[in-house]
Structure formats: C-alpha cells, structure tokens
Amino acid sequence: MKCRNCFQMLMIISVLLFITGCNNSGKYKTIETGVQTNLVTTLDAVLEANLNADGPGLIVSVWQNDKNLYTGMKGVARPMQPISEDTQFRLASVSKTFTAVAILKLYEQGLLGLHDSIVDYLPELDSSWQEISIHHLLTHQSGIPDIFNDLNTHEVINNDITNPKILQYFIENHQLEFGSGRKEEYSNTGYILLAEIITKVANMPFPEFMDLEIFAPLNMNNTYILDEDVDITERTAMNHAQHHQIYGRNVFAVGSSSQVSSMHDMERFMYALMAGKILQAETMRLMLKAHISKADSSLNGTGYGIFYFSGDGKTAYGHSGKHDGFRTIYAINRDKNAFIIMLGNGGDYMPDFTYVMDLAGEFLE
C-alpha cells in the first residue's frame, strides 16, 4: 500500500512558517511534473524541470527500511562545481537538531540538568533570567527575543555576526517578550545560548565538542561548525552559488544555524539517530516527546530540536531551515521507517519542497 502524503502531513507548512519555511515566496512557481512510473523517474523529472544545470540547485535523498530508494541532484554548489553527495551545505536551522543532541549528550553524562537555570551556566546574564531553564531554550519557551526575527540584527550587531557579540547584546539588553514557559515562540537566540552552555559545561569550544561527540564517531567527515575561526572549505556550497555571505554579512550563529554538512553525512546521522546509536533509549524518548502539545505548538508538537509535522503529533518529525539562499529539511516517518533529506542553495528559485515530499510519499510502502 502506498503512503500518500506520507511526508507532507501538514508538512512544511513549512517547519516554522514564521521563520524557516522552505516553500517558495511567490518569486518562482514550481513546474509540477506529476507522478511517473517509479520514484526515480518521478523525482528526476521535477528536478529536471525546475533547475538549471549551471545554476544553484538541490540534492534529494529518500530512504526506507535502511535502503536508499533515491538520491538525485541538479545544479552547482559554486561556479563550475556540480552538486554531489559530498557537497557541504549550510544546514541553517536544521543545525538545531544537532545542538539539542549535544545538550542531551551532556545530560546523559550527568553534567547538566534540563531544568537547570541557564544563569547557572552563563552567570553573566541578568539575574532576572533565573527562571529560564535549558528546557525552555530547547522548546522555544524562553521569552528571549529572536536575534534574527524579533530584532534588526544588522542594526544591533556590527560587522560579522558572531556568538560573542550576540551574547554581549543580551547581557546588556535583557528585556523578555514574555515570561518563560508561558508559550512557545521560535527563537534562534535560545539555540545560540545552548551552544554557549555546551562550551562552558564541556570546557571546550562548541565545534570541538560536536566533532568529538557526534561527527567523528559517525564518520561525518564532511561536517563542521562554521564559526569565525574556521576557514570555509572548497566543498562548501555558496549562497545562490555565488558567495558565502548571508544577506550581505558574514554570519556565524553557532548552535542555531552554522553547521555545514554533506548529504552523505546527513544520511549517516539520520540512520544512527533512528537506530538508537547516538542517544540512549530513554534520552531519545525525551527528545521526541511532544513537550508542547499540538494545541500550543507552532506545528503539531514540539520536542527537543524537532517539530512534529504529522497531524497526529507523533508519526512524522524533523526540522527545516532557511538562511538566505540555503534551504534544508529532513523528515523522519517512524511508522514507515523512512526519511527524506533535501539540501539546496537556490533560495526561492527551487521546486517547492512540500511538492517534492508529496511525490516521494507516493512510493513509500
């Protein structure tokens, strides 16, 4: 039996309509090529119709029952460099899933409590933030303004946008939008602060901890954290295949959006996460628990570093990302033991992600 709308399920309405939506904004209308005789010809057709071989592009991968059903790509990562499975893309907000996993690693090691105050780890923050917990940051319930959406980042941060500058801004400006725990409101700032907490607790830079605890054990050799101290690799895709700046600035928002990964590495991570090879079973249940129910969530339920896409609030989950021209998403369907990943650098001029996922869902058993 085919799984109609298996991945869509209110999907991408777009994970985080309010911020990380992957759907087009009206600049480009997707050419709908319809369902073909099989998955390969179906997804090949939509990529062929909507992307240029010498322009920015997209790579798509579909897996079910530990088997790769489809991997296809079209476009260039940068001039004269076609996209491949080893092309490194900025993950944008998909980075948040990895940050959440890192926090849960420290939780498993007994080095922090999820309901500890963030001021316990970042005492430079104002004492009025004492009631904000790590749990609140993970579930977007802190009340801290979002540095990228509630504030004009280009006005409050000069030159390169980095974690130290963002942290200093909130040390000096500590007005909250609402009391912690009162509601969910998406906040990139929360995940930036989580990265700072990881640095403090692990007693090592966030990129080093991520490599030691997650990337290296999973042989994610084409993955790195892009901060102000790292050189961008030659395999890293360019924004719109033209440059590395984000909205005209160098952006290094570590913890929130600065992870860079390839399709091969994302597949390794998805497989390991689903197989229980990264977190202990009880910790994984904690990560996937809908800490915010469908009624109060921006989507259909909010876990740690993930949102539920499916209407039942338990079957399909994942995260999406949008950072200027970079568009990313992964979605896992637990009932079908399947996942799909899409990584692109073409901004609004790519096929609609919801449409592509809907097509893929037609061929899942």
Side-chain angles (χ1 to χ4, degrees):
M1 184 172 119
K2 301 193 174 175
C3 181
R4 184 175 299 273
N5 297 336
C6 206
F7 279 115
Q8 184 175 0
M9 298 180 185
L10 291 181
M11 182 148 281
I12 281 190
I13 306 178
S14 169
V15 171
L16 322 177
L17 259 184
F18 33 39
I19 179 148
T20 62
C22 290
N23 286 340
N24 297 335
S25 63
K27 293 181 180 179
Y28 176 78
K29 181 173 175 57
T30 298
I31 299 171
E32 297 187 358
T33 50
V35 176
Q36 310 294 316
T37 55
N38 56 55
L39 177 62
V40 173
T41 57
T42 296
L43 296 188
D44 279 350
V46 73
L47 295 185
E48 182 64 28
N50 288 278
L51 296 167
N52 296 318
D54 58 354
L58 176 67
I59 182 168
V60 182
S61 184
V62 182
W63 288 68
Q64 185 175 32
N65 297 326
D66 305 330
K67 180 181 179 181
N68 179 228
L69 304 183
Y70 177 84
T71 298
M73 64 220 75
K74 189 177 181 182
V76 297
R78 53 174 68 193
M80 307 301 292
Q81 187 181 110
I83 290 171
S84 76
E85 291 168 281
D86 291 321
T87 296
Q88 297 164 301
F89 287 86
R90 294 196 191 206
L91 295 185
S93 285
V94 167
S95 303
K96 292 179 175 67
T97 297
F98 291 84
T99 302
V101 167
I103 284 286
L104 292 171
K105 283 279 192 181
L106 292 173
Y107 166 75
E108 286 184 341
Q109 296 166 18
L111 296 177
L112 57 73
L114 297 177
H115 294 283
D116 291 348
S117 169
I118 65 173
V119 178
D120 293 347
Y121 301 99
L122 301 174
E124 60 268 44
L125 295 173
D126 193 79
S127 60
S128 64
W129 287 20
Q130 186 67 41
E131 297 303 312
I132 302 173
S133 68
I134 291 173
H135 169 83
H136 291 140
L137 298 185
L138 287 166
T139 55
H140 303 282
Q141 296 182 94
S142 69
I144 302 171
D146 188 337
I147 188 66
F148 293 120
N149 297 284
D150 297 324
L151 303 171
N152 188 329
T153 317
H154 284 52
E155 290 185 1
V156 302
I157 305 292
N158 293 322
N159 302 317
D160 294 353
I161 299 170
T162 66
N163 276 34
K165 290 181 181 180
I166 294 170
L167 180 60
Q168 186 59 41
Y169 174 82
F170 284 105
I171 291 171
E172 298 171 1
N173 301 271
H174 44 78
Q175 182 68 39
L176 298 176
E177 295 192 316
F178 54 88
S180 58
R182 293 186 180 177
K183 64 176 182 177
E184 177 204 289
E185 189 167 301
Y186 192 89
S187 177
N188 285 284
T189 308
Y191 275 75
I192 290 166
L193 294 178
L194 287 172
E196 295 302 301
I197 290 171
I198 290 166
T199 293
K200 287 284 187 74
V201 174
N203 195 30
M204 67 179 71
F206 177 75
E208 185 176 333
F209 180 82
M210 296 298 286
D211 188 61
L212 179 68
E213 291 287 338
I214 300 175
F215 306 156
L218 297 178
N219 294 315
M220 295 175 66
N221 300 320
N222 285 317
T223 296
Y224 66 99
I225 302 298
L226 180 57
D227 65 12
E228 61 271 31
D229 298 320
V230 172
D231 292 329
I232 295 175
T233 70
E234 292 184 359
R235 286 183 177 176
T236 299
M238 290 181 170
N239 186 14
H240 294 288
Q242 297 175 352
H243 53 78
H244 287 298
Q245 291 190 321
I246 303 295
Y247 299 115
R249 296 279 287 275
N250 293 320
V251 179
F252 307 107
V254 173
S256 171
S257 60
S258 285
Q259 185 167 318
V260 180
S261 292
S262 68
M263 180 59 80
H264 270 151
D265 281 3
M266 285 296 293
E267 291 168 344
R268 292 185 180 100
F269 178 79
M270 290 298 118
Y271 174 79
L273 188 70
M274 294 172 69
K277 296 180 181 296
I278 301 177
L279 296 172
Q280 298 169 14
E282 185 56 38
T283 311
M284 190 66 186
R285 282 193 288 271
L286 196 59
M287 178 181 176
L288 298 184
K289 178 182 177 181
H291 298 281
I292 302 176
S293 67
K294 177 179 178 179
D296 298 315
S297 172
S298 300
L299 250 70
N300 292 312
T302 305
Y304 288 159
I306 64 101
F307 290 88
Y308 279 95
F309 301 147
S310 53
D312 62 4
K314 62 181 180 180
T315 302
Y317 68 90
H319 212 297
S320 72
K322 173 182 177 181
H323 215 191
D324 203 348
F326 292 102
R327 301 287 195 275
T328 58
I329 190 167
Y330 76 88
I332 294 172
N333 188 301
R334 294 200 279 187
D335 283 356
K336 301 296 177 180
N337 193 32
F339 67 83
I340 184 169
I341 305 167
M342 301 177 70
L343 308 174
N345 65 338
D348 294 327
Y349 299 94
M350 293 191 294
D352 184 278
F353 277 21
T354 304
Y355 179 67
V356 176
M357 290 185 173
D358 202 8
L359 291 177
E362 294 285 346
F363 294 94
L364 296 181
E365 298 297 330

